[in-house]
C-alpha cells in the first residue's frame, strides 16, 4: 500500500468518525427545524436519494437553494430536449429550494 492510499484511508476513517460524532448534533438540529417542515426530506439531509430503477441514463443535479434551482431549470430542459429518455434527479439543501424544485419540475 502506497503513501497516497494510506492518506486516503486515513481521510476516510477521519471523515466517518467525525460524521458519527456529529450525527447526534445534526439530528437535534433537524428536530428543532421541525419534522413537519422537513417531511420525507430528512433522508436527503443525510445524503440519501430516491432509488431510481431505469434503464436510461440518470443525471443527478444538486441545487443548494432557490437560486440554484432556477439556474438548473434551463440545464434540465436542455438535457431532456437533447436526450428525451434521460431521467433527472434534482435534490436540494433548503426547504424553499425543494418547493422551487417541485414548481420547476411540474412545468
Amino acid at each position: 500500500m502506497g503513501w497516497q492510499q494510506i492518506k486516503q484511508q486515513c481521510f476516510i476513517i477521519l471523515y466517518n468518525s467525525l460524521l458519527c460524532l456529529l450525527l447526534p448534533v445534526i439530528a437535534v438540529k433537524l428536530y428543532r427545524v421541525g419534522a413537519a417542515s422537513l417531511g420525507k426530506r430528512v433522508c436527503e439531509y443525510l445524503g440519501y436519494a430516491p432509488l431510481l430503477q431505469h434503464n436510461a441514463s440518470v443525471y443527478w443535479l444538486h441545487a443548494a437553494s432557490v437560486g440554484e434551482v432556477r439556474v438548473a431549470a434551463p440545464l434540465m430542459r436542455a438535457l431532456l430536449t437533447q436526450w428525451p429518455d434521460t431521467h433527472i434527479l434534482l435534490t436540494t439543501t433548503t426547504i424553499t429550494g425543494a418547493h422551487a424544485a417541485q414548481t420547476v419540475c411540474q412545468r
Side-chain angles (χ1 to χ4, degrees):
M1 185 179 285
W3 177 245
Q4 186 67 23
Q5 290 175 327
I6 292 171
K7 286 192 328 187
Q8 287 175 345
Q9 290 297 321
C10 288
F11 178 77
I12 290 170
I13 291 169
L14 177 65
Y15 176 83
N16 288 334
S17 299
L18 287 174
L19 183 61
C20 289
L21 289 172
L22 292 176
L23 197 54
V25 175
I26 293 168
V28 168
K29 182 178 187 245
L30 291 175
Y31 178 76
R32 285 186 180 165
V33 169
S37 63
L38 291 175
K40 60 184 178 181
R41 295 194 64 242
V42 172
C43 292
E44 279 185 47
Y45 279 92
L46 298 175
Y48 294 98
L51 181 62
L52 300 177
Q53 296 179 343
H54 299 285
N55 291 332
S57 297
V58 176
Y59 289 94
W60 184 352
L61 301 176
H62 180 75
S65 62
V66 175
E68 291 182 7
V69 169
R70 291 181 181 155
V71 170
L75 175 61
M76 292 188 300
R77 283 192 290 275
L79 287 170
L80 292 172
T81 301
Q82 183 73 25
W83 297 285
D85 294 334
T86 296
H87 296 278
I88 297 176
L89 172 63
L90 177 62
T91 56
T92 62
T93 302
T94 64
I95 295 169
T96 53
H99 293 304
Q102 287 176 341
T103 303
V104 166
C105 292
Q106 288 175 353
R107 293 183 197 168

